[in-house]
């Protein structure tokens, strides 16, 4: 019984997280993914995180806040999730030099 309630709560959180990801811009998506990973619960949201990172990777020009923080965060998260992003290509996509 207790496990069923826990699973329902996880499903509610998953749906809320998915809505947040869909409604946010690329910079906000990166912040949400980073926060979920730091909390240690990213394994509950693997599909949603992968979809969001795929969207960011495919639409690299879509960065609204192309400051150094978001550039570095995007580079780190994409590399951590296995995307082939080189430092040389990435710095030109977002207009920053490292």
């Amino acid at each position: 019984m207790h496990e069923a309630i826990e699973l329902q709560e996880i499903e509610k959180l998953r749906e809320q997280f998915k809505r947040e990801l869909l409604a946010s811009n690329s910079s906000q998506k990166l912040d949400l993914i980073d926060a979920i990973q730091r909390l240690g619960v990213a394994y509950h949201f693997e599909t949603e995180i992968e979809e969001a990172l795929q969207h960011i990777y495919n639409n690299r020009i879509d960065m609204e806040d192309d400051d150094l923080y978001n550039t570095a965060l995007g580079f780190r998260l994409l590399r951590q999730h296995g995307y082939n992003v080189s430092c040389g290509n990435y710095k030109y996509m977002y207009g920053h030099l490292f």
Side-chain angles (χ1 to χ4, degrees), residues 14 17-18 21 44-53:
R14 183 176 286 128
F17 181 69
K18 195 170 191 172
L21 278 177
H44 287 294
F45 307 101
E46 289 175 356
T47 303
E48 293 83 359
I49 289 170
E50 184 58 37
E51 288 173 2
L53 290 175

Side-chain angles (χ1 to χ4, degrees), residues 23-75:
S24 59
N25 63 39
S26 295
S27 299
Q28 292 168 331
K29 282 179 177 43
L30 292 171
D31 285 334
L32 281 169
I33 293 167
D34 187 47
I36 289 295
Q37 287 182 345
R38 288 175 186 268
L39 288 170
V41 295
Y43 63 95
H44 287 294
F45 307 101
E46 289 175 356
T47 303
E48 293 83 359
I49 289 170
E50 184 58 37
E51 288 173 2
L53 290 175
Q54 185 67 48
H55 175 77
I56 290 168
Y57 181 75
N58 290 339
N59 302 297
R60 292 179 277 247
I61 308 303
D62 187 33
M63 293 294 287
E64 291 83 0
D65 302 322
D66 63 346
D67 60 11
L68 185 57
Y69 170 79
N70 287 311
T71 302
L73 182 59
F75 180 76

